């Protein structure tokens, strides 16, 4: 039976769910509060010619993204050009840098040069990671996680021990590698999962395969090209996108979501999918209809927020690659200050993305486009004075790395983005940037449910529910919710 479906939010999970439900013949409407679609993957262009991606910048797990387009009879190549980065990225340490080559054999030599015997160990590590990736990303993460019984499949049973769910990622990495640079390299990808390596199950070494094994890519024109392409796919299926559409209430009658209040007007729907921040979505409901209490959210482990600077330079920056990780300081200390002490970091790590090294179209000729990101604890104080303090530190470390002096004087565009902005633009709980951390106690069925337990036609999708944070998981999340709706024979009553 054809249903009229409302989707709140146009991030990757919302657009994904829109495409799959529209393809099943439903009337689908996407409501986005901002003036551009894409959620955290928005993009903006400045008056002086810079184009900045506002969020995601690492194109990993290309096969998962390609799966979305294949489901609709197309491919990413129809919408944007992908470029493989070489090196994939550089890591800056106090005693020099380490470049991560595009080709696996070259990466293997880097490992062997740093630690005798690490080359064969890398082979074994990556083979195990490949198996986890195939089971995890092709079976495990595609479950709606409404019951543990979903995981009693022959394939998962055969590979249960190989998934390493009860081993910490930190211990798993140190079982193979001792050199601190190699340990840092292998631990880095789990930062995308929002927790310290000691608190993440070893199953997530699948991230190493999804990144290093499948390569680091860049879509020419910026990551927003992926959002644009997915929106185009969803619209081709019949989904309708409404911008500057603020949803202020989910209206319930007889324990059923019957309408949304959008820009002050009530619009009726048969089913509602919330791709908006889960906690915020629940505030659109009377307390008796919410899945979780405020105390529940306060006791979750959230992935970090971050301080971001979008910078335009009126000159080229020497010695800087497309992706650069500044790891001169201790990862454990920074992680502790994010998850335990919950304060601004004393010795931060940070990340620099310079897409103009690959894509001249994102900056005026002879200029440079630079994106700086420093992970932060959620819910802490955020003001311009603090932002500028850390900006100066990041610029100082960039100067040491590039040999370029007086970098701040070469800036002709500057914009900061931090906790307050994540709250204002995305209603993000405590200003989180990446959703819930993928700790063992917040995995699978232990994540917030995709179904409202009291309102049978209200669903949740996105980085605060299954399968978790990141672009590919968010795309999968939308598909999971759409599958739950599409298999229903009638509108729930």
């Amino acid at each position: 039976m054809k249903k009229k479906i409302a989707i709140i939010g146009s991030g990757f999970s919302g657009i994904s769910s829109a495409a799959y439900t529209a393809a099943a013949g439903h009337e689908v409407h996407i409501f986005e509060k901002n003036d551009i679609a894409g959620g955290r993957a928005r993009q903006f262009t400045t008056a002086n010619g810079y184009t900045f991606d506002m969020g995601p910048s690492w194109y990993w797990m290309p096969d998962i993204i390609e799966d979305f387009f294949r489901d609709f009879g197309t491919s990413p190549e129809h919408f944007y050009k992908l470029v493989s980065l070489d090196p994939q990225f550089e890591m800056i340490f106090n005693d020099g840098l380490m470049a991560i080559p595009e080709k696996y054999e070259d990466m293997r030599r880097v490992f062997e040069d740093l630690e005798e015997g690490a080359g064969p160990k890398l082979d074994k590590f990556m083979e195990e990671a490949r198996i986890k990736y195939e089971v995890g990303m092709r079976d495990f993460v595609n479950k709606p996680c409404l019951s543990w019984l979903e995981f009693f499949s022959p394939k998962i049973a055969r590979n249960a021990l190989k998934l390493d769910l009860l081993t910490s990622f930190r211990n798993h990495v140190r079982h193979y590698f001792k050199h601190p640079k190699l340990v840092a390299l292998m631990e880095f990808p789990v930062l995308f999962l929002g927790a310290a390596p000691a608190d993440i199950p070893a199953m997530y070494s699948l991230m190493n395969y999804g990144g290093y094994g499948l390569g680091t890519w860049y879509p020419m024109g910026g990551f927003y090209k992926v959002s644009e392409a997915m929106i185009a796919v969803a619209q081709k299926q019949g989904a309708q996108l409404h911008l500057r559409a603020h949803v202020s209430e989910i209206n319930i009658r007889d324990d059923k979501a019957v309408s949304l209040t959008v820009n002050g007007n009530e619009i009726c729907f048969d089913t509602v999918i919330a791709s908006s921040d889960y906690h915020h979505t629940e505030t659109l409901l009377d307390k008796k209809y919410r899945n979780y209490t405020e105390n529940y959210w306060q006791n979750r482990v959230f992935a970090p927020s971050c301080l971001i600077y979008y910078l335009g330079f009126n000159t080229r920056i020497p010695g800087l690659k497309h992706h650069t990780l500044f790891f001169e300081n201790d990862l454990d200390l920074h992680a502790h200050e994010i998850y335990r002490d919950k304060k601004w970091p004393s010795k931060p790590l940070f990340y620099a993305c310079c897409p103009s090294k690959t894509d001249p179209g994102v900056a005026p000729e002879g200029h440079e486009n630079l994106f700086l990101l420093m992970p932060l604890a959620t819910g802490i104080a955020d003001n311009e004075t603090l932002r500028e303090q850390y900006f100066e530190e990041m610029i100082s470390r960039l100067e040491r790395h590039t040999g370029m002096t007086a970098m701040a004087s070469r800036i002709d565009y500057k914009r900061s983005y931090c906790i307050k902005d994540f709250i204002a633009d995305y209603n993000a709980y405590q200003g989180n940037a990446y959703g819930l951390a993928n700790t063992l106690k917040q995995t699978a069925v232990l994540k917030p449910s995709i179904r409202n337990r009291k309102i049978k036609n209200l669903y949740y999708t996105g980085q605060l529910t299954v399968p978790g944070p990141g672009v590919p998981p968010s795309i999968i999340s939308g598909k999971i919710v759409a599958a739950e709706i599409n298999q229903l024979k009638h509108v729930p009553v």
Side-chain angles (χ1 to χ4, degrees), residues 223-266:
F223 212 103
Y224 186 64
K225 291 297 180 184
V226 185
S227 295
E228 282 186 328
M230 290 181 61
I231 291 165
V233 168
Q235 289 176 324
K236 187 175 181 180
Q237 310 311 308
Q240 299 176 54
L241 174 63
H242 308 274
L243 300 176
R244 296 176 288 278
H246 175 68
V247 177
S248 58
E249 190 171 0
I250 301 172
N251 302 301
I252 310 300
R253 296 192 191 103
D254 299 324
D255 296 334
K256 178 184 173 185
V258 296
S259 65
L260 299 181
T261 301
V262 184
N263 294 341
N265 300 309
E266 186 175 353

Side-chain angles (χ1 to χ4, degrees), residues 8 13 40 146 250 274-285 289-294 296-297 300 302 426-429 432 435-436 447-453 458-466 477 481:
I8 308 172
S13 64
R40 285 166 170 78
L146 299 170
I250 301 172
S275 174
S276 45
D277 178 273
Y278 202 125
H279 171 270
H280 169 72
T281 301
E282 299 245 283
T283 69
L284 305 180
L285 299 165
Y289 293 119
R290 298 175 188 176
N291 273 348
Y292 304 103
T293 65
E294 192 65 28
Y296 170 89
W297 293 109
R300 297 307 94 190
F302 274 82
Y426 311 122
N427 298 306
Y429 183 74
N432 80 85
L436 277 180
K447 285 187 180 293
S449 175
I450 65 168
R451 282 181 177 268
N452 185 291
R453 299 187 181 104
L458 173 59
Y459 298 81
Y460 306 83
T461 186
Q463 60 184 8
L464 286 175
T465 183
V466 295
S477 184
V481 165

Side-chain angles (χ1 to χ4, degrees), residues 74-139:
T74 186
S75 67
E77 290 74 21
H78 283 94
F79 299 94
Y80 52 85
K81 179 183 178 182
L82 271 182
V83 176
S84 179
L85 299 183
D86 189 18
Q88 297 187 43
F89 57 92
E90 284 188 340
M91 298 185 77
I92 309 303
F93 299 97
N94 281 321
D95 58 351
L97 64 83
M98 179 170 62
I100 309 308
E102 175 187 29
K103 295 180 180 177
Y104 179 79
E105 280 305 312
D106 294 334
M107 188 188 310
R108 192 178 186 277
R109 280 192 285 273
V110 169
F111 273 67
E112 192 64 32
D113 288 344
L114 282 173
E115 181 180 317
E116 186 177 354
K121 289 180 180 178
L122 178 64
D123 293 338
K124 186 176 180 182
F125 182 98
M126 292 296 281
E127 176 58 20
E128 289 184 5
R130 181 190 64 79
I131 293 170
K132 293 172 189 174
Y133 186 85
E134 291 177 355
V135 176
M137 298 306 294
R138 298 296 175 187
D139 193 0

